[in-house]
Amino acid sequence: MANTLLMPKATAVWLVDNTALSFEQIAQFCTLHPLEVKAIADGESAQGIKGMDPVMTGQLTREEIARGEADINHKLKLSEPKVRVPETKRKGPRYTPLSKRQDRPNAILWLVRNHPELKDAQISRLVGTTKATIEQIRERRHWNAANLVPMDPVTLGLCSQIDLDIEVQRASKGREPAAPVGETLLPAALTERLTPADERRDDEEKELDANAVFAKLSALKKADADEDEE
């Protein structure tokens, strides 16, 4: 657990209003810049922030404040607080429980087959594996390749559906949509029903076309007959 000052700016507001400490002393104790403390004193910053008494929270004693007011060079020391703030942990590789590690190759195989757009780094983030293992499974060089069965990592509990959707969306960004497979819907022009007026118009056009064809045939026959007579 880290010994950290709670609400530094609110503490600075209280020290400015209730003590004779210098701006530098308050800035050093609250991890702020002296100019920011001066702005608080001038009313230019931290407006609306209610001051928090560090003595009440056990982070500073009255005696320590008195020492600081008596000696401008004295640096305030943080007392053992009543509330401890946990240290921020560095984000490391995803931890996979021992009971689920044997299912990790099956999950990798499922991701490789169902989401080929995912990069190795994305698969590593999802199931907590290495690029070498992913490459071995993709190329069927894994020591247990013959016995692997594709299994959804979400179902196995290796990652959440939200994390999987986010990675898939990132990998698909900028890629052209896949061409439709199988039967597709017919164009609207082919599925629209004709009104009675449209049907009559089509019939008239067909009749005109037929008359034109017969007229052309009659003209050709007459021309052939004339040639025979000659």
Side-chain angles (χ1 to χ4, degrees):
M1 296 291 183
N3 191 359
T4 307
L5 178 66
L6 297 174
M7 302 178 67
K9 187 164 287 189
T11 301
V13 171
W14 188 91
L15 292 173
V16 167
D17 293 339
N18 297 276
T19 69
L21 295 169
S22 67
F23 295 159
E24 287 75 12
Q25 287 174 307
I26 298 175
Q28 176 267 325
F29 181 71
C30 298
T31 62
L32 300 173
H33 194 279
L35 293 178
E36 189 173 1
V37 178
K38 183 178 183 302
I40 292 174
D42 295 338
E44 299 174 357
S45 177
Q47 296 178 357
I49 295 180
K50 184 179 179 180
M52 189 181 73
D53 186 353
V55 178
M56 293 293 293
T57 59
Q59 298 187 97
L60 195 61
T61 63
R62 292 287 181 183
E63 293 76 11
E64 187 67 12
I65 293 176
R67 293 192 197 96
E69 291 175 331
D71 182 6
I72 195 173
N73 295 319
H74 178 73
K75 293 184 178 181
L76 299 176
K77 294 181 181 179
L78 191 65
S79 304
E80 284 294 327
K82 295 179 180 179
V83 179
R84 286 184 173 270
V85 180
E87 294 180 355
T88 303
K89 295 182 179 180
R90 286 193 310 171
K91 188 175 181 181
R94 180 186 294 272
Y95 173 74
T96 304
L98 186 62
S99 59
K100 296 181 180 179
R101 291 181 186 176
Q102 59 184 359
D103 295 327
R104 196 155 47 188
N106 295 327
I108 297 172
L109 181 60
W110 187 92
L111 290 171
V112 168
R113 288 189 178 181
N114 292 277
H115 295 287
E117 71 275 11
L118 289 176
K119 297 179 180 179
D120 291 352
Q122 293 178 299
I123 297 177
S124 298
R125 284 196 297 268
L126 288 171
V127 299
T129 186
T130 63
K131 292 185 178 181
T133 303
I134 299 171
E135 185 178 351
Q136 291 173 1
I137 293 175
R138 181 180 283 114
E139 298 178 358
R140 306 295 294 176
R141 292 188 291 105
H142 190 265
W143 65 272
N144 196 29
N147 299 319
L148 294 182
V149 178
M151 299 182 70
D152 189 344
V154 177
T155 304
L156 294 173
L158 294 174
C159 68
S160 67
Q161 185 65 52
I162 294 176
D163 291 338
L164 177 58
D165 292 342
I166 291 174
E167 295 296 347
V168 171
Q169 186 177 8
R170 287 175 179 172
S172 302
K173 187 177 295 185
R175 294 169 62 97
E176 295 182 359
V181 179
E183 296 183 357
T184 59
L185 295 176
L186 293 173
L190 299 179
T191 58
E192 291 179 350
R193 296 186 60 184
L194 295 177
T195 63
D198 293 334
E199 292 178 352
R200 287 196 300 271
R201 189 182 304 111
D202 289 344
D203 293 339
E204 292 174 358
E205 291 178 354
K206 291 178 181 178
E207 186 176 353
L208 290 174
D209 292 341
N211 292 336
V213 171
F214 286 127
K216 188 173 183 180
L217 288 175
S218 299
L220 291 174
K221 288 181 179 179
K222 185 177 180 181
D224 292 340
D226 293 340
E227 289 178 359
D228 292 341
E229 291 177 358
E230 292 177 355

